[in-house]
Amino acid sequence: MFEKSTKIIFIDGKWKEVDDGKGVAVYNPATLEPITEVADGGSRVTEEAIQAASKAFPGWSELTGRERSRILYKAYELMSEDAERLGEILTTEQGKPLKEGIGEVKGAANFLLWYSEEASRGYGEWIPSSIKSKRMLVIPQPVGVVGAITPWNFPSSMITRKIGPALAAGCTVVLKPAPETPLSAIEIVKIFERAGMPEGVINLVTGDAQEIGNAMLKSKEVRLLTFTGSTAVGKYLMQESAEHVKKLSLELGGHAPSVVFEDADIDKATSLVLASKFRNNGQTCICTNRLYVHESIADQFTAMLTEKVSQLKIGSGFEEGVELGPLINEQASEKVHSHLRDAVGKGAQVVLGGAEWEGNLEGYFYKPTVLTDISDDMLIMNEETFDPIIPVQTFSDETEVLQKANDTDYGLAAYIFTENTNRAIRASEKLEYGIVGVNDVFPAVAEAPFGGIKQSGNGKEGGHYGMEEFLEMKFVSIGIG
Ligand code: ADP
């Protein structure tokens, strides 16, 4: 399925070999076997890519939205038609169950569809003037060259969610995917090539994150950085963007609380909490990290949840029926162990799991784990988990639980489960999060704004808001008469 070496980067409409002896190995996280190696592009290559994007900008931005739309739509069609093969590549490099991999590719294609439609709708404004001799216009214009840095947990959809709106708006792009999952990125760029994307509009550089990132930061021509990843790297990019006052769109870490009220539909809520926590093996920035269950239903809820969790099948993402794949790497595995040690040391009870999975695969697998007797000072209640452990805490009072839910520096997603509409609205308004799911744990869709507040970042992805990130509102003030 893969060649031994794929040391290519895409600059100015051409695939170029970067063969300086180095390369970045890509592993299958289920087996820890090397799949291939990709190019180790550094600052020089990134600068070349930025120049190509800069050169392509006038031509691309001057096309009509309709013209850009056609290419995005074609890319959407090609990606949708090829979803199975692309899903297999994604699962090979990332580990998630194939069904989720194919599902992600289809979702990723959907961003291209949405932004192919949105490309024609970059509306401006005609402002009624308070002065008779003036006319006032607001013209939306593309920001310029965009640097897009994406993570490994959604190797496909994090790319289209960024480059879809950037391209629709008329920006050109230099893309740097995560070193763990560059193969999906290469495929997406090939799709755009087949869709007829003009030279230089999309450029792809794989390799050392710091070198590529710094080349983007140092360049005056990169006007906006769109980044999904850890809060620590987000803060670094923010600091270093000060020199050229770059625009930033940051989707950073999260620590999502799920609050199950006494009036929830318990069967439905357990299934949704399970889906929210264990999708992608807990390696999702909007995964439930903390679970608060009302004390009057806690025993029943925990028993039902534990029963459902115990049914989850672990293994290779390619095996039929598997719902939990491997963790991405050793570092992730160490974090699970440290969270568990810390929680048990502080009095947590292991109701289910609590150990590595002893399967026949070399990757880092961990049993889905349910913990009770949780205290607020445990690491797992404060640090982003990115693992298949769910801590269950009880509560008695709505005000108190919402305060607890908000007591974090993160503010990406929160979930509530209730059948009471008044409570749903009240709680949604009080939660200090960019996204609130009410009896819903899948809020990431092409048509709606996704993004965090506080240290979970700024800016929105999805919907018309997502395209506005890539547009400058130019004010034209016209004296007449
Ligand atoms: P995670 O912990 O999820 O891997 P990171 O923030 O480390 O999150 O990585 C997200 C993306 O940011 C990846 O593409 C990674 O290579 C990139 N990255 C990491 N460090 C830097 C950096 N200093 N500058 C630019 N990009 C970086």
Side-chain angles (χ1 to χ4, degrees), residues 149-152 176-180 209-210 212-214 217 227-230 233-234 236-237 386:
I149 302 177
T150 55
W152 51 263
K176 188 211 93 60
E180 295 85 352
Q210 200 125 20
I212 299 170
N214 286 344
L217 287 163
F227 168 79
T228 297
S230 59
V233 174
Y236 170 78
L237 296 177
F386 259 57

Side-chain angles (χ1 to χ4, degrees), residues 255 289 401:
H255 202 277
N289 275 218
V401 78

Side-chain angles (χ1 to χ4, degrees), residues 352-374:
L352 186 76
E356 282 176 11
W357 175 65
E358 305 290 341
N360 54 351
L361 294 162
E362 286 299 307
Y364 300 98
F365 289 85
Y366 203 83
K367 288 183 181 165
T369 298
V370 179
L371 301 180
T372 57
D373 297 281
I374 298 298

Side-chain angles (χ1 to χ4, degrees), residues 160-225:
T160 55
R161 189 157 91 164
K162 293 182 185 310
I163 71 173
L167 297 169
C171 296
T172 55
V173 173
V174 177
L175 169 65
K176 188 211 93 60
E180 295 85 352
T181 56
L183 305 178
S184 295
I186 292 174
E187 293 299 323
I188 291 173
V189 171
K190 284 183 179 166
I191 283 170
F192 274 103
E193 196 186 7
R194 283 168 58 208
M197 187 55 94
E199 288 173 2
V201 175
I202 296 181
N203 304 276
L204 170 76
V205 184
T206 57
D208 184 78
Q210 200 125 20
E211 265 198 54
I212 299 170
N214 286 344
M216 288 181 178
L217 287 163
K218 282 205 190 95
S219 163
K220 272 191 189 174
E221 279 157 276
V222 174
R223 293 301 317 136
L224 183 149
L225 279 182

Side-chain angles (χ1 to χ4, degrees), residues 25 51 77 98 118 145 204 218 240 286 310 312 368 419 423 427 457 470:
Q51 289 317 315
E77 283 187 320
L98 184 58
E118 209 59 16
V145 175
L204 170 76
K218 282 205 190 95
E240 299 299 313
I286 57 167
S310 71
L312 293 173
E419 297 296 310
R423 172 173 264 159
F470 299 96

Side-chain angles (χ1 to χ4, degrees), residues 102 287 324 350 369 396:
I102 296 171
C287 269
L324 283 190
V350 180
T369 298
S396 56

